[in-house]
Amino acid sequence: MAGNANYSTDFLTATLVNYMSGQAADALFNDVPLIEWLNGKGSVKRREAGGTKLIEPLMYARNSTVASYRGYDRLNISPQEGLTAAEFEWKQYSGAIAISGYEERVNTGKSAQIRLLETKWKQLRLSFMDELNTDCYADGTGNGGKDLVGLALMVDSTGTYGNIVRASNSWWAAQETAVGGALQIYGSTGMQRMMNDCAVGRGSMQPELLLTTQSIYEQYESLMAPYMRYTIASEGNAVFQSDSLMFRKARMIWDHSATSGVMYFLNSKVITFVVDQERDFKVRPFQEPNDQDAKVALILWMGALIANNCRHLGKLTGIS
């Protein structure tokens, strides 16, 4: 018996690619609050993977040759230290869309096929986003070190990040304060102090986003209740809920995957979500396994979440 001509592997692949390209690529990240915010700030960057690692240039000390002079004074032309580079590993994720022979037979016709592919892609997209969202808060050790390196290691005062040991490079440490109690606005363990610590003396480098759990968000909301005004706010392409809160000029949002007891203080000027432009949810053609009555396509992604100046990032921990 002849197979369903509508289900040729070439046609299936073309249909899936066309359907995915009809959606804005950036919209694929709209279910991940951290990446959505970075995208709205222009900090999602697509690059070509030109090596086994991502090399991020860093500046950790000022140029000491800058000084006043007069007339025939000798000028300082001494070589400068203070420049180095962090090394980050590319991380890879994959998902599969499979169509069984049975599904092929009961979904005859192009329109039925497209509806089936849409449903399967939506399921895969949500699973992709859930996995990436969870890993955005992790330290990269999951799945044998193959998971995305997230905020748990990026925004920390210890450990090795970007192949730089913080114990011997204090300039590479993020700001970290243990609260050990309820959320506070003022004081040595309060939000105000952390904002100032992250700015490191420069108002322009104050955090722009406070990212936390629902319970901590609601703690802050109760503290601010007498002063609250609700507005609809947008940042670039990202539109936030009308009841999103502010602290100074920083927006506060919560995420169901956020780390319990932690409030992150983030700055898009120093964080980048890098995506390999050739693996930006790349569709591999549908193939027919030799031992299955099915057709399978792989969707591939490769990228990394990186920072180039951790001292402008911070977190309050142990919030009860």
Side-chain angles (χ1 to χ4, degrees):
M1 180 180 294
N4 186 345
N6 289 335
Y7 277 79
S8 71
T9 54
D10 289 345
F11 187 77
L12 278 173
T13 301
T15 301
L16 180 59
V17 170
N18 288 337
Y19 176 70
M20 289 176 59
S21 64
Q23 307 176 60
D26 291 341
L28 296 172
F29 296 120
N30 283 348
D31 289 331
V32 184
L34 173 60
I35 303 175
E36 179 186 7
W37 172 72
L38 289 170
N39 190 39
K41 289 290 190 177
S43 294
V44 174
K45 305 292 185 182
R46 287 167 175 82
R47 303 179 187 173
E48 183 177 359
T52 57
K53 293 183 182 294
L54 275 162
I55 307 300
E56 188 70 10
L58 306 176
M59 178 178 64
Y60 63 88
R62 63 190 296 255
N63 187 317
S64 63
T65 66
V66 179
S68 60
Y69 78 99
R70 177 176 294 166
Y72 292 98
D73 286 355
R74 289 187 175 276
L75 306 183
N76 187 350
I77 60 170
S78 59
Q80 295 296 296
E81 301 293 335
L83 299 176
T84 187
E87 297 180 356
F88 300 97
E89 290 187 357
W90 290 99
K91 300 296 183 175
Q92 296 176 283
Y93 287 74
S94 71
I97 290 179
I99 296 178
S100 69
Y102 176 80
E103 289 173 315
E104 175 181 340
R105 295 306 306 155
V106 300
N107 289 278
T108 58
K110 293 182 180 179
S111 60
Q113 172 192 356
I114 291 172
R115 288 195 301 271
L116 179 62
L117 280 175
E118 286 179 350
T119 301
K120 287 180 175 287
W121 164 243
K122 288 176 181 177
Q123 178 193 39
L124 182 62
R125 174 187 176 275
L126 290 174
S127 301
F128 252 116
M129 296 306 97
D130 187 61
E131 190 73 18
L132 285 172
N133 192 40
T134 299
D135 291 352
C136 276
Y137 297 97
D139 62 3
T141 59
N143 194 22
K146 290 177 277 191
D147 284 355
L148 194 73
V149 177
L151 299 180
L153 185 58
M154 175 195 295
V155 189
D156 201 84
S157 58
T158 62
T160 299
Y161 178 65
N163 204 32
I164 298 175
V165 181
R166 284 171 164 147
S168 52
N169 297 278
S170 59
W171 54 270
W172 192 229
Q175 312 297 327
E176 182 176 354
T177 298
V179 175
L183 182 68
Q184 302 292 327
I185 303 297
Y186 305 109
S188 60
T189 62
M191 296 169 63
Q192 182 188 59
R193 177 66 59 83
M194 180 55 68
M195 288 286 283
N196 293 337
D197 288 347
C198 290
V200 195
R202 297 184 61 188
S204 64
M205 292 304 292
Q206 282 197 17
E208 306 158 311
L209 181 73
L210 309 185
L211 183 55
T212 190
T213 63
Q214 179 181 349
S215 62
I216 297 174
Y217 180 95
E218 290 170 353
Q219 280 190 50
Y220 177 72
E221 190 172 27
S222 65
L223 290 172
M224 295 293 103
Y227 315 105
M228 289 172 63
R229 300 293 184 271
Y230 296 111
T231 59
I232 296 176
S234 63
E235 293 179 353
N237 296 324
V239 178
F240 294 89
Q241 58 187 359
S242 60
D243 61 343
S244 57
L245 302 178
M246 302 288 292
F247 180 67
R248 292 186 177 175
K249 294 182 179 180
R251 187 166 306 283
M252 181 185 293
I253 61 175
W254 65 269
D255 180 15
H256 68 280
S257 294
T259 308
S260 178
V262 176
M263 177 182 286
Y264 287 104
F265 291 66
L266 307 177
N267 190 319
S268 67
K269 297 182 181 70
V270 302
I271 302 176
T272 306
F273 189 66
V274 183
V275 179
D276 174 20
Q277 61 190 18
E278 297 300 323
R279 285 291 184 273
D280 190 7
F281 297 102
K282 175 75 171 180
V283 179
R284 292 185 62 179
F286 277 89
Q287 302 290 329
E288 298 184 57
N290 292 329
D291 59 349
Q292 288 182 305
D293 178 20
K295 296 179 175 71
V296 181
L298 291 175
I299 289 81
L300 308 175
W301 182 88
M302 190 164 90
L305 183 65
I306 66 176
N308 61 23
N309 199 333
C310 297
R311 65 179 182 165
H312 291 300
L313 306 173
K315 63 182 176 183
L316 297 175
T317 64
I319 303 172
S320 62

